[in-house]
Amino acid sequence: MARVINDTTAAPPHASVDMEVPVKWSAQGLEQASKGADGVKNHLVVDAALRAVVFAASAAAVVVMVTSKQSKMIPVSPTMAVSLDANWNQSPAYIYYVSAFSVAGLYSIVTGFFSVFTLKKTGVISTKMQFHLAILDSLLLSILSSAIGAELGVAYVGLKGNSHSFWKEICNAYGSFCHHLSATSTMAIISDIALLLLVWLSYYTLLKKIARP
């Protein structure tokens, strides 16, 4: 009789296996969640770093452009020369360029502080806010690209001239002014590339959130 009682109270051999399965799956789920949180934080770190690059390059582009003024004595006759200035505010394309990159610098400050604040406080940015940032980044990218195109178009005429329109090159006389244009163009392109990477990062983050089960 005692033998029968011992047999019925003994645990079946597969009971320990059944108990280990949910524990194993829960551990894997926690590990995947931890990896996902680390990935989001890494995206926020990269986002903040790229916005810092956009600010630094945009600010440098604006400063170099607005300090590009150069005065030169230009001969108008064999016995007379007049002082002529080459300045950024003489061209609507350059004014648009300075305005666009000033807005880009201010925008990168605001969104950069937002990224740093989100990283320190929660480490997670909402999908809705990520979508809004992606739209705004794309809009600013198109504005900066058009500003760079306008600036480079006028700068090329200053460098090479246009014989069909009888526009003479000025870089042979205003060397310092043209060096400023070259430097500001380099800074502008760096800012534009950083903003493009920001747009790609935003859409990549959104894609991962949508594809997440």
Side-chain angles (χ1 to χ4, degrees):
M1 193 64 181
R3 182 177 181 180
V4 173
I5 293 175
N6 289 337
D7 291 340
T8 56
T9 56
H14 61 276
S16 58
V17 177
D18 293 339
M19 295 176 63
E20 290 177 359
V21 170
V23 174
K24 182 178 180 180
W25 279 106
S26 62
Q28 290 179 352
L30 290 174
E31 183 179 357
Q32 291 177 356
S34 176
K35 289 181 179 180
D38 291 340
V40 172
K41 289 184 178 180
N42 291 336
H43 290 164
L44 280 174
V45 171
V46 175
D47 182 273
L50 287 175
R51 294 187 190 280
V53 172
V54 172
F55 167 73
S58 298
V62 172
V63 170
V64 173
M65 176 61 83
V66 299
T67 58
S68 61
K69 180 180 178 180
Q70 182 182 7
S71 299
K72 193 81 174 181
M73 296 298 296
I74 305 298
V76 294
S77 70
T79 59
M80 185 175 64
V82 295
S83 177
L84 296 177
D85 296 335
N87 200 352
W88 67 274
N89 58 14
Q90 297 171 346
S91 170
Y94 294 157
I95 295 174
Y96 171 58
Y97 174 89
V98 171
S99 301
F101 278 91
S102 298
V103 172
L106 179 60
Y107 171 81
S108 61
I109 290 176
V110 175
T111 55
F113 275 125
F114 173 77
S115 295
V116 173
F117 176 77
T118 303
L119 179 63
K120 288 185 176 182
K121 187 174 182 180
T122 62
V124 178
I125 185 170
S126 66
T127 303
K128 183 178 180 180
M129 184 58 66
Q130 187 76 59
F131 177 75
H132 289 163
L133 285 176
I135 295 298
L136 292 175
D137 290 345
S138 301
L139 176 62
L140 186 62
L141 176 64
S142 63
I143 294 174
L144 293 190
S145 298
S146 65
I148 292 174
E151 184 267 337
L152 288 178
V154 178
Y156 183 82
V157 173
L159 178 64
K160 297 293 185 179
N162 191 327
S163 59
H164 300 286
S165 302
F166 301 101
W167 293 340
K168 293 184 178 181
E169 67 275 7
I170 65 169
C171 287
N172 54 349
Y174 296 94
S176 176
F177 178 75
C178 289
H179 285 314
H180 276 73
L181 294 182
S182 176
T184 191
S185 298
T186 302
M187 294 296 102
I189 292 173
I190 292 174
S191 177
D192 206 44
I193 292 175
L195 194 56
L196 176 62
L197 294 176
L198 269 173
V199 173
W200 286 352
L201 178 66
S202 296
Y203 286 122
Y204 175 72
T205 305
L206 287 172
L207 181 62
K208 288 191 68 176
K209 288 183 178 180
I210 294 173
R212 187 179 301 168

